[in-house]
Amino acid sequence: MNPRFPTLSQTAIAPFPWTTLFVIAACGAFSPKAAAQSSVVLWGVADSAVRHVSNEGRGSVKSLVSGSNSTSRLSFRGTEDLGGGLSAGFHLEHGILLDTGATASSTQFWDRRATVSLISRPLGEIRLGRDFVPSYSNWSRYDPFSYVGVAGSNNFVSATPVGPIRSAYGSGVNTTVRSSNAVQYLLPGGLGGVEGGAMVAAGEGGTAANGQHKVIGARLGYAAAQWGVSAAHTRTENDLTLVGTHQDSAIGAHLSLPVVRLSAAYRQFKYDLAKQRNVLFGVVVPVGSSGEVKASYNRVDLSGRVGATVIDANGATQIGLGYVHSLSKRTALYATGSRIGNKGAATYAVPGGPAGLAGGGSSTGFEAGLRHSF
C-alpha cells in the first residue's frame, strides 16, 4: 500500500498450491461467461534497498532490506458484476521479504489482507476478513513515507518501549495496523466528498499472543479537490487488557497546492494510566514530471506510568528526507535518510541497526533502492 493524498532467514511455511491457484484463475479469466461479468487480477510490488544504520555508541550495520518505499507483496483481487449496481469481490495480499525470498509472516500467508466483499454502488460495501483498522488507515495516509523505510512514522509505533502498546498487547500481534476476524461497513462514493466506515472484530475467545482481539472502530472524513480532513478511533480488548480497553485515536488533514503537498496528523494510544502521543508533519514537493522530494517530522511523547514505572520523561523526534525518481509509471529509484533523537529512557531506533542502543541515544539511517510494481 502506498497511500497518497487524499486517497516486510527463510521462514518455513506449509506448501502452497500455486499450480492449482493459477489454473483456477486462468479458467475463470477465459471462461466466456466469466469474461463478461468478472475479473481476476494478479498484481504486486517488488521493492528492495541497501541500508546503512548507525546507533550511537553501538556502531553500524549495512544490509539489504525489503519494502522501503512500498511494501513488497503479491496479491490477487477479483470482482463479479451481479447486476443492479451490486458486485462481489475478494482481495488476498501476501507480504514478501524480497531480500531473502521469505514470507513476511511465519503464521499468516495472506498477512497483509484477506477479505471478501459485497458492494452496492448506492449503499456501500460490506467487507469480511483481515484488513487495516480505521486508525491506521487514517494515520498512514498523511505519512509522506507511507509508513515504511528509515523515515516512516512506523518507527514510533512499537511494542518495545514501556508504554500503552506494550501493556495492552505484550510482544504479540497488535491491532495498531490490522485486525483479523473483522466485519466492516464502508460508505459508498458519491457523497459529496464524505468518506468513512466502521469495523468490528471478534476475539473468538482467543489470546493476544495469537492475534485475537475484540475490536470496534470507525473513521469519517471529508475530501475536496485540494484539501481533506479525517478522524478515526479504534478500541481493542483482549486477555491482557484487564483494566479497560486500548484506545487508538487519529486525526489528520492535508492541503494540495500546485507546488507542494502538506499534511499533518496526530495519533494517541492510551491504556490504563499510560499514554503515547504521536505528531506528524509531512511535505511533498514535485520535481519536474518524474520526481518528488519528501520530508517529514515525527515526534513521540510518552506520559503517565506502567505499574510503578513513570514514563513522563521518555520520547523521541525523527527527521526524514527523501527523493523518488520515477523511471516509468511502474518503476522508480529512491533514496531516504533519517535521524532519531531520543530523550529520557527511550530507545527508538531506525530498523536494521545494531542492538543495545542506550536510553536517550540517537540513531541514523540511510537507504537507496528500486521499486517495481506489476
Side-chain angles (χ1 to χ4, degrees):
M1 175 179 178
N2 188 14
R4 312 295 297 202
F5 309 115
T7 98
L8 71 135
S9 86
Q10 182 71 32
T11 303
I13 60 172
F16 187 77
W18 288 106
T19 303
T20 302
L21 183 56
F22 280 116
V23 170
I24 293 173
C27 290
F30 291 102
S31 165
K33 182 176 180 181
Q37 298 179 339
S38 63
S39 65
V40 175
V41 177
L42 166 64
W43 66 280
V45 176
D47 183 318
S48 190
V50 293
R51 180 181 292 180
H52 180 275
V53 180
S54 298
N55 288 345
E56 183 179 356
R58 305 302 301 174
S60 63
V61 171
K62 301 178 182 69
S63 60
L64 184 70
V65 297
S66 178
S68 285
N69 181 258
S70 182
T71 304
S72 297
R73 74 200 80 167
L74 180 67
S75 180
F76 294 85
R77 67 172 178 249
T79 59
E80 180 186 13
D81 187 353
L82 302 175
L86 194 65
S87 62
F90 74 92
H91 188 131
L92 301 173
E93 197 164 319
H94 166 65
I96 302 170
L97 299 178
L98 202 69
D99 51 326
T100 64
T103 182
S105 170
S106 62
T107 59
Q108 294 167 302
F109 189 84
W110 304 111
D111 57 314
R112 290 184 51 79
R113 181 172 166 182
T115 61
V116 62
S117 300
L118 186 63
I119 307 158
S120 166
R121 282 198 296 267
L123 299 178
E125 176 182 352
I126 298 295
R127 183 182 297 176
L128 311 178
R130 177 171 174 80
D131 202 359
F132 296 116
V133 300
S135 296
Y136 168 81
S137 297
N138 196 62
W139 169 264
S140 61
R141 62 173 59 185
Y142 299 113
D143 183 354
F145 294 98
S146 304
Y147 207 78
V148 294
V150 298
S153 60
N154 54 299
N155 294 339
F156 284 170
V157 182
S158 168
T160 300
V162 176
I165 299 177
R166 180 172 171 178
S167 297
Y169 303 100
S171 59
V173 178
N174 61 56
T175 60
T176 59
V177 176
R178 297 177 179 86
S179 176
S180 298
N181 310 316
V183 177
Q184 293 184 79
Y185 168 72
L186 303 175
L187 291 174
L191 297 180
V194 176
E195 50 91 18
M199 169 186 281
V200 295
E204 300 186 343
T207 64
N210 291 328
Q212 294 169 296
H213 312 271
K214 296 179 182 178
V215 177
I216 299 176
R219 174 177 56 86
L220 186 64
Y222 175 80
Q226 294 183 315
W227 65 276
V229 61
S230 57
H233 181 75
T234 305
R235 188 181 74 185
T236 301
E237 182 181 355
N238 55 45
D239 62 310
L240 299 181
T241 56
L242 302 179
V243 289
T245 58
H246 180 259
Q247 309 284 332
D248 177 2
S249 304
I251 185 169
H254 79 272
L255 176 64
S256 297
L257 302 173
V259 295
V260 65
R261 298 194 295 270
L262 305 173
S263 63
Y266 172 84
R267 191 173 185 182
Q268 177 179 277
F269 305 96
K270 184 179 184 299
Y271 176 67
D272 194 19
L273 301 177
K275 289 183 181 180
Q276 175 179 323
R277 299 177 178 89
N278 288 36
V279 175
L280 162 67
F281 296 100
V283 178
V284 178
V285 180
V287 179
S289 60
S290 58
E292 60 181 21
V293 174
K294 304 189 292 186
S296 68
Y297 170 86
N298 282 270
R299 181 184 178 95
V300 56
D301 289 291
L302 298 168
S303 62
R305 61 183 177 87
V306 176
T309 303
V310 178
I311 58 176
D312 290 337
N314 302 340
T317 59
Q318 174 180 280
I319 297 175
L321 181 65
Y323 176 73
V324 180
H325 183 80
S326 296
L327 302 176
S328 70
K329 290 184 178 180
R330 298 189 298 154
T331 304
L333 299 171
Y334 62 89
T336 310
S338 70
R339 184 184 187 280
I340 293 175
N342 288 285
K343 65 178 183 177
T347 57
Y348 293 96
V350 177
L357 178 66
S362 63
S363 178
T364 304
F366 175 81
E367 62 193 5
L370 170 66
R371 184 202 75 232
H372 177 72
S373 302
F374 58 90

